[in-house]
């Protein structure tokens, strides 16, 4: 259709799916702990987690680029021990995207956990349930809107990321050339017709994601109101 190459979109969706899955299991215990703790270090940890929201992508991309390069202990260890290069390949994109999208998974989950009725959690502990059982069988089922928001927004944010993935992955077809990078290249060569098509697809995707989140949240709030 119009000479449309779907490979960058498929690569973007593959990257976003993998990053969302990884971040869910990393962010879940952290967001639960942040929602329950009274530690004096909580503001510091929240600030560190939220840094990717306010830092320019070029700054994050530069530090990740250095950390994964052979000149750093991390990059040198992986290349010498496992023969794995972490830059300009799909693995590097996954690592970079995990760092950049991390707060978009943590913050909605943390907000959802903090909104839970404390008496409900205390009742679970009194009934002999562990913190892990309380998390999975009491807390998670009662924060469905926050959980859905975290998953969908993380996925959409990863699909739309440009600066960090370009710095860390470059533009290798079938390996690191995601949709956002493809659009950038089309603009560079002044292929505005294809850039319009790719951008329209991304715009439609982003709108659909947000519409799905808001629609589900409104339906959920309405069902809760009816049940009450």
């Amino acid at each position: 259709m119009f000479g449309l190459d779907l490979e960058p979109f498929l690569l973007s969706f593959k990257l976003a799916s993998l990053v969302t899955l990884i971040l869910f299991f990393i962010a879940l215990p952290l967001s639960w702990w942040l929602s329950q703790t009274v530690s004096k270090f909580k503001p510091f940890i929240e600030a560190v987690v939220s840094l990717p929201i306010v830092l320019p992508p070029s700054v994050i991309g530069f530090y990740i680029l250095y950390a994964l390069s052979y000149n750093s202990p991390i990059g040198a260890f992986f290349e010498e021990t496992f023969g794995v290069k972490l830059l300009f390949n799909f693995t590097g994109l996954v690592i970079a995207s995990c760092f950049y999208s991390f707060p978009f998974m943590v913050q909605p989950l943390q907000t959802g956990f903090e909104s839970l009725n404390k008496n409900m959690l205390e009742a679970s502990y009194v009934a002999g349930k562990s913190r892990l059982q309380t998390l999975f069988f009491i807390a998670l089922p009662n924060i469905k809107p926050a959980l859905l928001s975290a998953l969908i927004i993380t996925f959409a944010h990863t699909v739309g990321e440009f600066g960090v993935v370009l710095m860390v992955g470059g533009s290798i077809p079938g390996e690191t050339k995601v949709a956002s990078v493809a659009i950038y290249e089309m603009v560079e060569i002044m292929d505005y017709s294809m850039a319009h098509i790719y951008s329209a697809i991304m715009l439609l995707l982003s709108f659909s994601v947000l519409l799905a989140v808001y629609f589900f949240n409104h339906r959920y709030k309405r069902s809760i109101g009816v049940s009450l």
Side-chain angles (χ1 to χ4, degrees), residues 120-151:
M120 178 176 61
L121 301 180
E122 291 297 330
S124 175
Y125 297 140
V126 170
K129 303 296 182 182
S130 67
R131 288 188 176 274
L132 191 61
Q133 289 174 316
T134 300
L135 169 60
F136 281 102
F137 298 110
I138 303 298
L140 269 181
N142 284 281
I143 62 161
K144 291 178 181 177
L147 176 60
L148 182 67
S149 296
L151 294 173

Side-chain angles (χ1 to χ4, degrees), residues 89-111:
N89 55 40
F90 188 75
T91 302
L93 283 191
V94 172
I95 296 172
S97 297
C98 281
F99 275 103
Y100 194 60
S101 295
F102 193 47
F104 295 91
M105 180 66 77
V106 173
Q107 291 186 351
L109 290 177
Q110 181 184 346
T111 301

